[in-house]
Amino acid sequence: MKKNTKNKNFMVCLFLVMLVQAVRYFPFKFGGWNQVQLSFSYEYGFIQRGFLGTLLNLTSRIFHIPWGYMRYIHAFLTMGTFTLLMLWLVYRALREEEMDVAVKRFLSGLALVFFMGPGWSTNYSNFALMELWLPILSILGMYALVKGKHMWCIPVIAVVCELIHTGYVFLYFNLILVVFYYKIFMEKGADIRHSDTKHSDTKKYIVYGIVTFVLTSILFLYMMFAATAREGITIDYVIERTAEFMHKPIEEIETQRELIQGYLFRDGGFSGIAFDIKDYWLLLIVMLVLFSPFIYEVYRYWKLVAKEAGKLGAGYALIPLGIVTTIPMYIMHCDYGRWTYAAFFYEFACIWLLNVIGDRTAAKAASKMMERIDANKTYYLVLLFYAGITGAFAQNLINPMVSMIESYGWKVLGALGIG
């Protein structure tokens, strides 16, 4: 009874944190380019980012819901699904009977960082971005892979995510790939709490892993370099439909004409590619400095995992390096807040996954981290509130704090005759 009460109290605490974040970031951002993309559908041809718009279009027609109302339905369904999934993952872990108390405490702290920091607030502040379905579906794919059931859904999930957002291969596909990696190369040698999970069919995972990777990669190449609107579809028609969807005057949507032409009609070369990192290198340096305490703590955890793993240490050390898949996005686009969130989410998900499935190496590392935390409570309490202060990531320039310091940095460099 005490355990159940403690778990419920903690969930109430998370709910209160969410409530504070909701007030803090109200009114949230709702509209812009995200909703322009949501109006795209396969009515225009087999285009990139047309999957969700197609579903919304079909729903509108089947149930006779005005096209202009569909963005609200999408927004609340998306944010609601993400919120419930994250809360369920926390609650499910806390009520795991065989999990060590120290590991539960560690995961509770991790959940607090997620909800007090950018984990939930980012997707509330930038309300229900279409790409939020990428981590949602990828988490469900990870669950299916861990269970080893309904494996057919894995390539389907990856393909759907790629249809939702072309950048999926760089942003959240690593969540699926890391579980394939663990199942194929690590699981048989790992010490796992539930021994029956150690005898999975490796060949099955290899086959599904190859099929998933090949299908997603081919679709990415097509969407990135070949997908275009079919003949007969004009930019004016698309703008008109988008205006109707967003309840905006056509003149307002006209400001997005160039972007729409790039994505749907391929005017000006490869769609959506712009090499921006040369203009924002100072921003990225500021980000690394400000977030260095969290980067260091993640490093310490994985270092402990590698040490506890012994001969498998090198294999475990490769897991956190999955964030390197986001690097091409940093080079090609300046939506650095979105890319940084994907990197943050990956590390959170990997640490959470290993501890929840009962990997004893990860659990030992978590217990040792808790010993360090208990010995330095003030520091970690400050670090927790620092995560809350930094808050949600923006879509582009990471967050206001980073952006402000970067702007002063440019002024200083300018005064020194640099840059």
Side-chain angles (χ1 to χ4, degrees), residues 154-224:
I154 307 304
V156 173
I157 285 174
V159 164
V160 166
C161 286
E162 183 59 31
L163 292 173
I164 291 172
H165 194 289
T166 315
Y168 172 69
V169 293
F170 300 127
L171 296 174
Y172 296 99
F173 193 31
N174 51 14
L175 294 172
I176 298 289
L177 295 180
V178 75
V179 184
F180 274 121
Y181 166 77
Y182 186 85
K183 284 286 187 177
I184 294 169
F185 298 106
M186 303 294 296
E187 189 180 48
K188 286 188 176 179
D191 182 10
I192 302 176
R193 185 170 63 236
H194 301 293
S195 59
D196 58 329
T197 65
K198 293 172 65 176
H199 306 292
S200 58
D201 186 350
T202 303
K203 290 182 180 179
K204 178 176 70 173
Y205 283 98
I206 291 173
V207 170
Y208 274 101
I210 291 173
V211 169
T212 303
F213 183 81
V214 169
L215 284 177
T216 309
S217 299
I218 290 173
L219 186 58
F220 162 75
L221 292 172
Y222 175 81
M223 287 295 169
M224 194 70 183

Side-chain angles (χ1 to χ4, degrees), residues 161-375:
C161 286
E162 183 59 31
L163 292 173
I164 291 172
H165 194 289
T166 315
Y168 172 69
V169 293
F170 300 127
L171 296 174
Y172 296 99
F173 193 31
N174 51 14
L175 294 172
I176 298 289
L177 295 180
V178 75
V179 184
F180 274 121
Y181 166 77
Y182 186 85
K183 284 286 187 177
I184 294 169
F185 298 106
M186 303 294 296
E187 189 180 48
K188 286 188 176 179
D191 182 10
I192 302 176
R193 185 170 63 236
H194 301 293
S195 59
D196 58 329
T197 65
K198 293 172 65 176
H199 306 292
S200 58
D201 186 350
T202 303
K203 290 182 180 179
K204 178 176 70 173
Y205 283 98
I206 291 173
V207 170
Y208 274 101
I210 291 173
V211 169
T212 303
F213 183 81
V214 169
L215 284 177
T216 309
S217 299
I218 290 173
L219 186 58
F220 162 75
L221 292 172
Y222 175 81
M223 287 295 169
M224 194 70 183
F225 302 112
T228 186
R230 64 180 174 83
E231 189 176 347
I233 296 296
T234 65
I235 182 66
D236 292 327
Y237 175 70
V238 173
I239 287 176
E240 185 181 320
R241 286 284 289 164
T242 301
E244 182 185 350
F245 178 76
M246 294 181 65
H247 272 290
K248 301 283 185 183
I250 288 179
E251 291 74 22
E252 246 184 81
I253 310 302
E254 281 287 348
T255 60
Q256 306 281 359
R257 177 180 282 265
E258 188 177 341
L259 270 175
I260 295 172
Q261 284 182 321
Y263 277 93
L264 266 60
F265 301 93
R266 305 206 159 267
D267 290 6
F270 295 145
S271 65
I273 296 182
F275 296 92
D276 290 312
I277 199 169
K278 65 183 184 297
D279 299 320
Y280 294 101
W281 59 269
L282 183 58
L283 183 90
L284 298 180
I285 290 174
V286 172
M287 176 196 74
L288 290 173
V289 171
L290 288 183
F291 294 155
S292 59
F294 306 109
I295 296 171
Y296 180 66
E297 293 303 321
V298 171
Y299 163 77
R300 283 193 64 88
Y301 176 78
W302 287 111
K303 184 179 179 181
L304 285 171
V305 170
K307 184 178 178 181
E308 293 292 335
K311 293 180 180 179
L312 288 175
Y316 277 99
L318 290 176
I319 292 175
L321 299 182
I323 59 171
V324 299
T325 64
T326 61
I327 291 175
M329 297 302 289
Y330 280 92
I331 295 171
M332 292 189 296
H333 293 283
C334 65
D335 291 3
Y336 298 134
R338 294 159 67 196
W339 319 152
T340 304
Y341 182 84
F344 164 86
F345 194 90
Y346 174 84
E347 294 295 342
F348 169 83
C350 287
I351 295 171
W352 193 270
L353 172 72
L354 289 183
N355 282 281
V356 167
I357 65 175
D359 185 297
R360 294 188 190 278
T361 298
K364 288 176 184 176
S367 296
K368 291 198 171 180
M369 281 294 289
M370 278 311 306
E371 291 175 10
R372 173 179 163 82
I373 292 168
D374 286 335

Side-chain angles (χ1 to χ4, degrees), residues 80-183:
T81 302
F82 177 75
T83 300
L84 291 174
L85 178 61
M86 293 301 104
L87 289 174
W88 179 82
L89 287 172
V90 175
Y91 186 68
R92 181 69 183 81
L94 294 181
R95 57 190 293 255
E96 176 60 58
E97 293 292 335
E98 297 180 51
M99 186 180 288
D100 187 76
V101 173
V103 178
K104 285 189 179 183
R105 290 179 63 213
F106 175 75
L107 291 181
S108 297
L110 200 61
L112 268 178
V113 171
F114 185 88
F115 282 91
M116 284 188 67
W120 184 81
S121 61
T122 294
N123 300 300
Y124 175 85
S125 176
N126 308 299
F127 200 74
L129 294 178
M130 65 183 299
E131 67 200 54
L132 188 52
W133 285 103
L134 306 185
I136 291 173
L137 294 174
S138 295
I139 289 292
L140 296 178
M142 293 173 78
Y143 180 81
L145 274 172
V146 167
K147 291 295 184 181
K149 298 177 180 178
H150 309 296
M151 293 285 288
W152 59 267
C153 76
I154 307 304
V156 173
I157 285 174
V159 164
V160 166
C161 286
E162 183 59 31
L163 292 173
I164 291 172
H165 194 289
T166 315
Y168 172 69
V169 293
F170 300 127
L171 296 174
Y172 296 99
F173 193 31
N174 51 14
L175 294 172
I176 298 289
L177 295 180
V178 75
V179 184
F180 274 121
Y181 166 77
Y182 186 85
K183 284 286 187 177

